[in-house]
Amino acid sequence: MQQTGSNHVGSVMARNIGRMTALMLVLTFTAPFAAYYVASGSAISALESQLQRSLVLTNRAIATEVERFRYLPLVVGEDARIRALANSGGDRAILDAANSYLQTVVRQAGASELYVLDSRGVTLAASNFSTPESFIGHNYSFRPYFQDALRTGEGRYYAIGVTTKKPGYFLSSRIDIPGGPPIIVVVKADLQPLEVTWEAAGVQTAIADRWGIVFLSGNPDWKYRPLSPLSGEAAKRVAEERTYDGANLDEARPILPAGVVPPTNGADVPALRVDGEGQRLLAKFSSIEPDSWTVLAATSTADIAKLAGFWALAALISGLIATGALYFLHQRALLIRMRLRQGEILELKVAERTQDLAREIDIRKRTEDELRRTQEGLIHSEKMAALGRMSTAIVHEVSQPLAALEATLATAGVLAEKEDAGKVGERILDARALVKRMQRTVKHLKTFGRKGASELEAVDVDAVIRNAIDLAMPRAKAIGVVPTIEARGQAPVVTAVGVKLEQVMLNLLLNALDAVEGRPAPSITVRRAADATAVSVTVIDNGTGIAPEHRDRVAEPFFTTKLTGEGLGLGLSIATAIVREFGGEITFSEATGGGTMATMSMPVSKRSAPPLEAAQ
């Protein structure tokens, strides 16, 4: 009865969670649209505020720059040297004084140019009188700034200079001279530095004249292009006044799309969405008086879509997570009931599997131990085989000192009977030297033949080379060859097992001795080279060499080309395995002039430790 009640409660809970999950799915797929709309509106409002601030700053910057020079023509016109130009009659002294004065004023005030026109519009004096682009003698009566100043007393006009081809803002003032014709003083201000500031601000800013032609812009692609298509009257007036002399306005494409007209009072109009050069722009406008200029500030809306998309994605992910959490709770309840029923079965299976794993681990450990013992046995057997290959030479190396020792001791006995103590002492010293020679040979054999060395240590490679050559020397003497050592630089240290590395080196030497046995002028060279990361030891012989078809197989177990039945073909295989165990490699190649080059390469150890004990 209790179980039936639990099932009923679980069924009701499952249905409720299912309804909540369906509701969350609906919210999940509608929330991104709402999030996208809200985030987009918020981002557009932020961009509009940014554009409005940019317009205010731009208007103030232009007004400040213009006001710097607004009264300069009037002030300059009060100077006696300038007023004297009205009745100079071409007097050179008056002209020179006026030119020098204008040049000094330009240098101190920071204006672009400063010049004086007569009542006909001809330049009388100019600050650039000494340059090839001098205004003196040029007639500028066609310029509106001259006509306005002559008519109303002052004028202002932005244009490209017809003489210098440099744009600027022209401010002019009429100076009335008692008893003579008036003169017009004109200052040319350079507003182009503003473009550098706008370009670095991150907002595309431009200023257009009363006809809608952009003459200043932080975007070079907008310069000397109309905001909207030019009217016939505008094109005619611009051509007559030579406002943008040299600019091809006929082929310039409008900046704003067709049908979009700049608002007359842009500050109170919401931002417009327009198509820019391959991108969507948000643009706001403002006006500057008294020139009837239009200021445009625009910025890309690409980030708006990205930001809105991010929040839409965040809303979708949040909904999916919430839905997934509800679904997880539902599944968790089902899993808990299932696990309660299956707990005992799982515990039993885990216990059985744990026992199986323990047995497998034990079997694997025993197998690994057996393989390790077998490998050590094979290595030791290869050592013994190498010693067996040198047995005759070793016996000769030991028997020769024994015979000499016997003769030396006999001589010492005869001298002792003659009571010649001095010569007896010499013979005893000779006998000790022979004993030391045999001890050294036996010590090498005893060290090399020991079994079970496996601890890694810092090994001196040069000591390994010397010890291996000492072991192989009896065999080498029997063949009639003395291996030479070529070692460059400081002795390198590697991380390895010293005895095993000696076994590898001895195997390479014995193979070289087998290769040169019976050859005329046999030669074996051991060349050691090292750098900051690796050390290489190369055994070079002038023997018969390795056939190309056998070169890739020489390190295979049980592969041998010897026909006498000597060896099992395990030497190079074991040597290769030992070197690889220490992170190195053995390669074989053909020596220059014939023979074989066997190269053992190993990484240099960063540890610093005493080298292997070399032969004494």
Side-chain angles (χ1 to χ4, degrees):
M1 192 70 174
Q2 183 177 359
Q3 184 176 5
T4 303
S6 299
N7 290 337
H8 177 70
V9 172
S11 177
V12 172
M13 182 182 295
R15 285 197 300 270
N16 290 337
I17 293 178
R19 294 191 186 99
M20 292 178 64
T21 302
L23 179 60
M24 283 301 301
L25 281 174
V26 174
L27 293 175
T28 297
F29 289 105
T30 55
F33 297 98
Y36 186 92
Y37 177 79
V38 172
S40 178
S42 176
I44 289 175
S45 298
L47 285 182
E48 286 189 4
S49 299
Q50 179 185 357
L51 292 176
Q52 186 61 41
R53 289 193 298 271
S54 177
L55 289 174
V56 172
L57 292 176
T58 301
N59 290 359
R60 289 178 180 175
I62 294 172
T64 301
E65 193 68 18
V66 170
E67 288 302 318
R68 285 178 56 198
F69 306 106
R70 183 69 197 95
Y71 297 100
L72 185 59
L74 286 174
V75 174
V76 170
E78 294 300 321
D79 189 271
R81 287 164 288 190
I82 301 302
R83 299 175 74 88
L85 289 172
N87 300 306
S88 65
D91 185 281
R92 175 54 57 184
I94 295 176
L95 293 177
D96 290 343
N99 286 330
S100 298
Y101 173 68
L102 293 175
Q103 188 180 54
T104 302
V105 172
V106 164
R107 186 165 54 249
Q108 297 296 329
S112 180
E113 303 294 348
L114 189 62
Y115 53 101
V116 180
L117 309 177
D118 63 14
S119 59
R120 297 170 301 160
V122 177
T123 305
L124 300 175
S127 60
N128 63 352
F129 68 94
S130 60
T131 67
E133 299 172 343
S134 173
F135 295 162
I136 296 177
H138 289 275
N139 191 319
Y140 298 109
S141 60
F142 61 90
R143 288 296 200 187
Y145 65 79
F146 169 78
Q147 300 168 8
D148 292 342
L150 195 62
R151 185 176 61 255
T152 65
E154 63 177 20
R156 56 175 70 197
Y157 193 67
Y158 191 93
I160 296 177
V162 295
T163 304
T164 62
K165 304 302 180 184
K166 296 178 181 178
Y169 189 50
F170 298 87
L171 296 167
S172 60
S173 293
R174 187 186 68 206
I175 308 298
D176 294 321
I177 308 296
I183 59 175
I184 308 298
V185 180
V186 185
V187 62
K188 180 181 178 182
D190 185 9
L191 301 183
Q192 287 186 302
L194 294 174
E195 295 180 329
V196 180
T197 304
W198 297 340
E199 188 173 359
V203 175
Q204 300 191 47
T205 306
I207 301 180
D209 61 13
R210 66 182 185 278
W211 307 116
I213 300 173
V214 172
F215 59 87
L216 282 178
S217 176
N219 184 352
D221 294 335
W222 285 1
K223 205 164 183 181
Y224 304 127
R225 288 173 55 189
L227 295 176
S228 302
L230 288 177
S231 64
E233 179 189 358
K236 179 181 177 182
R237 289 289 299 276
V238 169
E240 290 176 351
E241 297 170 1
R242 300 174 65 182
T243 308
Y244 304 109
D245 199 36
N248 190 358
L249 298 177
D250 295 334
E251 298 181 1
R253 293 180 293 103
I255 295 175
L256 300 180
V260 178
V261 178
T264 55
N265 190 4
D268 300 329
V269 177
L272 300 178
R273 294 196 182 207
V274 298
D275 293 324
E277 299 290 336
Q279 58 180 336
R280 296 284 295 175
L281 298 176
L282 193 68
K284 280 187 73 68
F285 301 85
S286 66
S287 59
I288 298 180
E289 297 300 339
D291 297 286
S292 298
W293 288 350
T294 300
V295 182
L296 164 65
T299 187
S300 174
T301 60
D303 292 339
I304 295 178
K306 293 179 182 178
L307 180 64
F310 169 78
W311 284 110
L313 181 61
L316 178 62
I317 293 175
S318 300
L320 291 176
I321 291 175
T323 304
L326 287 174
Y327 183 76
F328 170 77
L329 291 175
H330 177 60
Q331 294 298 316
R332 186 172 180 272
L334 296 177
L335 287 175
I336 289 175
R337 288 188 295 172
M338 185 183 299
R339 286 173 180 174
L340 289 175
R341 291 196 301 266
Q342 297 179 348
E344 293 182 359
I345 299 175
L346 289 175
E347 289 179 3
L348 180 61
K349 289 184 177 181
V350 168
E352 293 176 354
R353 183 55 182 161
T354 302
Q355 294 177 357
D356 292 340
L357 288 174
R359 287 194 295 270
E360 290 178 7
I361 292 172
D362 185 56
I363 293 172
R364 179 171 295 181
K365 285 184 178 179
R366 291 200 299 269
T367 303
E368 289 177 353
D369 293 340
E370 186 65 27
L371 286 174
R372 191 177 298 107
R373 287 194 296 271
T374 303
Q375 184 183 26
E376 294 293 336
L378 283 174
I379 294 174
H380 188 69
S381 299
E382 179 59 26
K383 287 184 185 179
M384 296 301 102
L387 292 177
R389 292 167 64 185
M390 300 187 300
S391 58
T392 302
I394 292 172
V395 169
H396 177 74
E397 183 71 12
V398 175
S399 62
Q400 189 179 27
L402 283 175
L405 178 62
E406 182 182 5
T408 300
L409 291 176
T411 303
V414 172
L415 293 174
E417 291 176 358
K418 294 180 180 182
E419 297 182 354
D420 191 347
K423 293 185 177 180
V424 170
E426 292 177 1
R427 293 300 179 270
I428 291 176
L429 290 176
D430 292 341
R432 288 188 63 190
L434 292 170
V435 170
K436 286 184 178 180
R437 178 179 171 185
M438 288 186 292
Q439 284 178 336
R440 185 168 62 249
T441 302
V442 172
K443 179 181 178 181
H444 276 309
L445 295 174
K446 182 178 179 182
T447 301
F448 182 75
R450 75 172 183 257
K451 187 177 181 181
S454 59
E455 292 295 329
L456 292 177
E457 55 190 341
V459 179
D460 186 338
V461 174
D462 287 359
V464 169
I465 296 173
R466 291 192 297 271
N467 291 348
I469 290 179
D470 285 346
L471 285 170
M473 190 57 73
R475 175 80 188 283
K477 289 180 179 179
I479 295 175
V481 61
V482 177
T484 60
I485 302 176
E486 297 178 1
R488 296 193 301 272
Q490 189 176 359
V493 174
V494 298
T495 301
V497 178
V499 177
K500 288 186 177 182
L501 211 56
E502 284 185 11
Q503 180 178 350
V504 174
M505 194 67 213
L506 179 61
N507 192 286
L508 298 179
L509 286 170
L510 291 180
N511 285 342
L513 291 171
D514 290 342
V516 300
E517 186 174 7
R519 301 275 294 180
S523 171
I524 295 178
T525 302
V526 180
R527 184 175 298 156
R528 191 266 296 155
D531 55 27
T533 59
V535 57
S536 63
V537 180
T538 304
V539 180
I540 308 170
D541 64 65
N542 63 346
T544 56
I546 303 174
E549 62 271 16
H550 295 156
R551 196 167 295 155
D552 295 335
R553 300 187 58 198
V554 293
E556 294 181 4
F558 304 107
F559 177 80
T560 180
T561 58
K562 298 175 182 178
L563 302 177
T564 59
E566 181 181 355
L568 297 174
L570 290 174
L572 289 178
S573 175
I574 292 176
T576 301
I578 291 174
V579 173
R580 287 177 179 172
E581 178 184 352
F582 304 142
E585 193 62 60
I586 296 179
T587 57
F588 299 90
S589 59
E590 183 178 357
T592 304
T596 303
M597 294 175 59
T599 302
M600 175 182 69
S601 302
M602 292 186 64
V604 172
S605 175
K606 296 181 180 178
R607 299 162 55 185
S608 178
L612 289 173
E613 181 182 356
Q616 300 295 326

